[in-house]
């Protein structure tokens, strides 16, 4: 990212270090059996297998980890978590990797994290997800002018079926105090 | 039987037919659903990649309200993601003093507090454990005779916490399908992930899963789901998935199918809301086409119960 060369073995900041430490605790007991990799329905789209990813975490190979698209391909299906003979919370580890990449904030992270962020911003604003406004936020974040058009046929179909609704403002702001408090506690602005 | 009902955001938006049929079917089965006052989003699977604390605090807020205002009631959630998020609070927060303290600190910003005393149930758990297929069978007025239904459980309903069924080989829908007069379509993809929100950022990856699921459902008259995201992914992207080897199959909520069998009126069952409900499929449903004898005989096939309007229509 941005031209800066990072050392593979050295965590960058305190925030990184703490997320990485949590991750290392989560997957520390991995014995590299590969059950997680074999269970993953999205493995074909990953550049690093889940098993190898846990190894890289154990070694603290931050650069390699952050370059990978593996964790963005996780659809939170929990198959690996269910099957891991060591009982490791692997789906949570994938989510923590997504948070780590958000801290890093490179282009791939902004693109791949756009949906989650749009979703959460909408929740913060409306209290409940309003599908139309959430999708608008998502399109804006992706900054890809062609993207809305790929969803257009579906949008039209849903409109015809009466599945598109105007945003309701009944719960606007209800969750703002919670979000503000959590941000304060998690040390993010 | 009374429950604190947590519909979740999707059921207020694109999955309204799931909300309406859940309420109507449960009422018919003798369950009273009382909506949690002022409930808010559970965070779905989008919260965890953004904030660990909010991933727990969002669902905990709803449980705190139930604990405070609806004492003693179990929470009933029809959406699998909502169910797992709510359940996670009890499994991962309660019992972890540090995390529980943090979550309550977040909740305190809204004057709330969660002790950890609310039981979380999925709709299918309540159907299986509290109601039972026998009771449902007694109320069937208009069975789905011969309809081959593929039960689709998806992922988060039994993973990682297999509370009420076997995650490797789930069967909890089957007695209900049989009670409705339907046939259980045997397939292997009932617990395969549909791709979930991967459909947004990387549709090319999610479509592969959807195509594999739809290919395996070849020969079924319908897929029954209990999750709004599964329903959306399996249904809305069928045209693309068919190009990748999938087969077009109607995708309905289990509660819609039960609603049909329990004789709920058309406005309630809302089949027309489903994107896969083409005129042909609707007619098949109305005429119970799958119950007809193999070669197309004329009218009055055995087992077709009263279907006032569309029965006369000639089926293609
Ligand atoms: S299944 Fe568990 S123990 Fe085996 S490689 Fe994966 S994380 Fe490691
Ligand atoms: S939870 Fe993620 S990593 Fe694990 S099997 Fe499912 S998609 Fe793969």
């Amino acid at each position: 990212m941005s031209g800066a060369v990072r050392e593979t073995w050295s965590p960058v900041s305190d925030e990184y270090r703490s997320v990485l430490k949590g991750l290392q605790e989560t997957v520390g007991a991995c014995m590299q059996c590969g059950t997680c990799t074999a269970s993953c329905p999205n493995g074909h789209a990953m550049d690093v297998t889940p098993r190898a990813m846990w190894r890289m975490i154990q070694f603290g190979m931050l650069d390699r980890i952050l370059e990978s698209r593996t964790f963005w391909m996780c659809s939170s299906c929990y198959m690996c978590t269910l099957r891991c003979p060591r009982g490791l919370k692997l789906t949570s580890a994938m989510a923590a990797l997504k948070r780590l990449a958000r801290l890093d904030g490179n282009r791939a992270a902004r693109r791949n994290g756009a949906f989650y962020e749009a979703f959460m911003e909408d929740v913060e604003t409306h209290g409940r997800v309003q599908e139309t406004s959430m999708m608008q936020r998502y399109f804006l974040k992706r900054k890809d002018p062609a993207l809305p058009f790929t969803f257009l046929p579906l949008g039209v179909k849903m409109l015809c079926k009466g599945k598109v609704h105007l945003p309701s403002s009944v719960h606007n702001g209800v969750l703002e105090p919670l979000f503000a408090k959590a941000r304060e506690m998690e040390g993010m602005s | 039987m009374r429950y604190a009902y947590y519909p979740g955001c999707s059921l207020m938006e694109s999955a309204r037919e799931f909300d309406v049929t859940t309420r109507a079917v449960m009422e018919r089965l003798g369950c009273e659903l009382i909506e949690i006052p002022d409930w808010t989003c559970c965070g779905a699977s989008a919260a965890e990649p953004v904030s660990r604390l909010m991933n727990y605090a969002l669902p905990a807020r709803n449980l705190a309200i139930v604990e405070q205002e609806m004492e003693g009631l179990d929470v009933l959630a029809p959406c699998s993601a909502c169910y797992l998020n709510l359940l996670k609070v009890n499994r991962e927060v309660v019992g972890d003093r540090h995390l529980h303290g943090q979550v309550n600190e977040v909740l305190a910003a809204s004057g709330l507090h969660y002790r950890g005393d609310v039981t979380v149930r999925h709709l299918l758990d309540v159907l299986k454990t509290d109601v039972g297929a026998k009771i449902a069978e007694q109320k069937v007025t208009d069975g789905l005779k011969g309809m081959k239904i593929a039960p689709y459980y998806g992922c988060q309903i039994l993973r990682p916490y297999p509370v009420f069924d076997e995650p490797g080989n789930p069967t909890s829908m089957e007695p209900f399908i049989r009670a409705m007069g339907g046939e259980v379509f045997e397939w292997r993809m009932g617990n395969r992930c549909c791709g979930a929100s991967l459909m947004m950022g990387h549709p090319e990856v999610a479509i592969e899963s959807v195509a594999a699921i739809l290919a395996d459902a070849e020969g079924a008259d319908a897929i029954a789901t209990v999750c709004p995201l599964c329903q959306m992914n399996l249904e809305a992207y069928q045209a693309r998935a068919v190009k990748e080897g999938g087969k077009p199959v109607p995708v309905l909520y289990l509660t819609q199918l039960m609603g049909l069998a329990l004789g709920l009126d058309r406005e309630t069952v809302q089949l027309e809301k489903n994107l896969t409900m083409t005129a042909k499929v609707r007619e098949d449903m109305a005429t119970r086409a799958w119950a007809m004898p193999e070669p197309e005989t004329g009218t009055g096939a055995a087992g077709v119960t009263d279907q006032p309007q569309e029965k006369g229509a000639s089926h293609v």
Side-chain angles (χ1 to χ4, degrees):
Chain A
M1 58 162 292
S2 65
V5 179
R6 269 199 314 259
E7 296 285 308
T8 296
W9 304 89
S10 59
V12 184
S13 70
D14 286 352
E15 265 177 316
Y16 277 67
R17 217 189 296 269
S18 89
V19 181
L20 185 63
K21 198 169 148 266
L23 270 164
Q24 285 172 331
E25 277 164 23
T26 305
V27 302
C30 170
M31 58 179 180
Q32 294 289 299
C33 69
T35 308
C36 48
T37 299
S39 307
C40 183
N42 304 314
H44 61 89
M46 294 174 173
D47 52 358
V48 175
T49 67
R51 178 199 59 76
M53 180 59 78
W54 317 136
R55 199 57 159 178
M56 279 158 53
I57 291 171
Q58 288 172 346
F59 287 155
M61 298 163 69
L62 254 188
D63 280 15
R64 294 278 307 282
I65 291 169
L66 290 172
E67 272 164 20
S68 164
R69 69 199 305 251
T70 288
F71 43 91
W72 295 118
M73 295 300 132
C74 170
S75 57
S76 306
C77 81
Y78 288 89
M79 196 55 114
C80 54
T81 304
L82 179 79
R83 288 193 178 157
C84 172
R86 285 282 159 101
L88 307 181
K89 290 197 156 93
L90 301 173
T91 312
S92 302
M94 288 294 187
L97 284 165
K98 289 174 185 167
R99 293 199 298 270
L100 191 73
R102 270 185 87 235
L103 279 179
D104 189 61
N106 62 35
R107 236 180 105 244
R110 281 203 301 276
R111 180 186 180 280
N112 284 303
F115 178 74
Y116 306 120
E117 281 178 29
F119 189 102
M120 289 301 277
E121 277 176 20
D122 208 60
V123 173
E124 181 167 1
T125 307
H126 295 297
R128 296 177 187 172
V129 173
Q130 309 290 321
E131 287 168 0
T132 37
S133 75
M134 186 259 287
M135 287 306 283
Q136 277 165 13
R137 280 174 209 274
Y138 174 55
F139 294 148
L140 281 175
K141 279 183 188 297
R142 281 287 300 275
K143 295 197 178 91
D144 172 359
L147 187 67
F149 293 100
T150 66
F151 284 91
L152 194 62
L154 176 59
V156 171
K157 251 199 257 171
M158 292 189 43
L159 197 69
C160 295
K161 294 274 187 180
K163 288 192 161 217
V164 175
H165 310 281
L166 288 174
S168 144
S169 56
V170 181
H171 297 88
N172 278 6
V174 173
L175 293 172
E176 275 165 15
L178 300 192
F179 273 91
K181 184 71 191 170
R183 260 197 291 270
E184 180 197 313
M185 290 170 67
E186 290 184 330
M188 282 180 256
S189 57
Chain B
M1 288 177 285
R2 300 169 77 209
Y3 301 90
Y5 181 53
Y6 181 81
C9 304
S10 299
L11 278 78
M12 296 289 114
E13 297 265 321
S14 57
R16 283 205 186 157
E17 64 273 29
F18 193 19
D19 177 56
V20 173
T21 48
T22 298
R23 291 179 198 252
V25 165
M26 293 312 275
E27 191 194 320
R28 188 138 307 187
L29 296 176
C31 299
E32 192 187 341
L33 305 189
I34 307 160
E35 190 167 330
I36 299 171
D38 198 29
W39 60 268
T40 44
C41 178
C42 72
S45 51
E48 205 176 8
V50 175
S51 158
R52 178 166 182 262
L53 266 183
M54 285 312 276
N55 177 231
Y56 293 122
L58 283 174
R61 179 186 179 276
N62 299 298
L63 296 178
I65 294 173
V66 175
E67 194 170 67
Q68 216 160 300
E69 298 182 26
M70 310 173 87
E71 220 198 304
L73 294 191
D74 287 2
V75 168
L76 186 158
C79 164
S80 302
C82 299
Y83 163 72
L84 175 59
N85 273 6
L86 294 163
L87 181 68
K88 256 192 200 171
V89 176
N90 287 344
R91 297 291 179 114
E92 294 170 23
V93 177
V94 180
D96 178 334
R97 275 184 63 194
H98 178 65
L99 184 58
H100 198 161
Q102 284 185 316
V103 168
N104 271 330
E105 207 179 323
V106 176
L107 293 183
S110 288
L112 288 163
H113 174 91
Y114 181 53
R115 281 195 312 273
D117 291 339
V118 179
T119 306
V120 176
R121 316 277 305 276
H122 189 272
L123 168 70
L124 196 50
D125 177 13
V126 169
L127 279 174
K128 175 185 170 172
T129 316
D130 299 7
V131 178
K134 282 245 165 57
I135 299 288
E137 193 169 2
Q138 287 163 13
K139 311 242 174 183
V140 170
T141 58
D142 191 8
L144 305 171
K145 187 163 189 290
M147 186 179 188
K148 288 198 277 306
I149 300 170
Y152 183 70
Y153 300 85
C155 47
Q156 304 192 341
I157 185 172
L158 294 165
R159 302 199 296 260
Y161 301 114
V163 176
F164 59 92
D165 202 348
E166 170 58 48
N169 183 27
T171 54
S172 41
M173 273 193 240
E174 296 181 7
F176 289 91
I177 291 173
R178 290 195 192 95
M180 301 303 127
E183 281 171 29
V184 176
F185 180 79
E186 298 290 339
W187 66 331
R188 291 168 300 115
M189 289 286 177
N191 65 353
R192 165 82 184 245
C193 175
C194 69
S197 61
L198 216 46
M199 194 58 94
M200 288 292 136
H202 295 276
E204 71 289 351
V205 180
I207 291 281
E208 268 196 48
S209 292
V210 171
I213 293 165
L214 292 177
D216 199 34
E218 181 174 11
D221 295 309
I223 293 175
T225 73
V226 280
C227 171
L229 191 53
C230 301
Q231 204 274 347
M232 170 75 102
N233 276 2
L234 291 185
E235 178 175 83
Y237 303 91
Q238 275 202 8
R240 265 187 80 181
V242 164
K243 285 188 204 137
E244 310 278 323
K247 289 284 171 300
V249 185
V251 187
L252 297 167
Y253 292 105
L254 178 69
T255 48
Q256 286 181 300
L257 289 163
M258 290 179 72
L260 282 174
L262 296 173
L264 297 182
D265 56 47
R266 279 156 193 253
E267 286 94 285
T268 309
V269 181
Q270 296 188 86
L271 288 182
E272 72 286 350
K273 286 269 189 208
N274 297 71
L275 302 172
T276 42
M277 274 298 132
T278 59
K280 163 86 168 74
V281 175
R282 220 188 337 261
E283 193 186 305
D284 284 354
M285 306 268 311
T287 57
R288 303 291 196 262
W290 42 82
M292 308 271 180
E294 263 300 296
E296 290 204 327
T297 57
T299 49
V304 181
T305 39
D306 43 309
Q307 271 301 317
Q309 267 128 55
E310 293 178 45
K311 195 186 173 186
S314 65
H315 55 278
V316 267

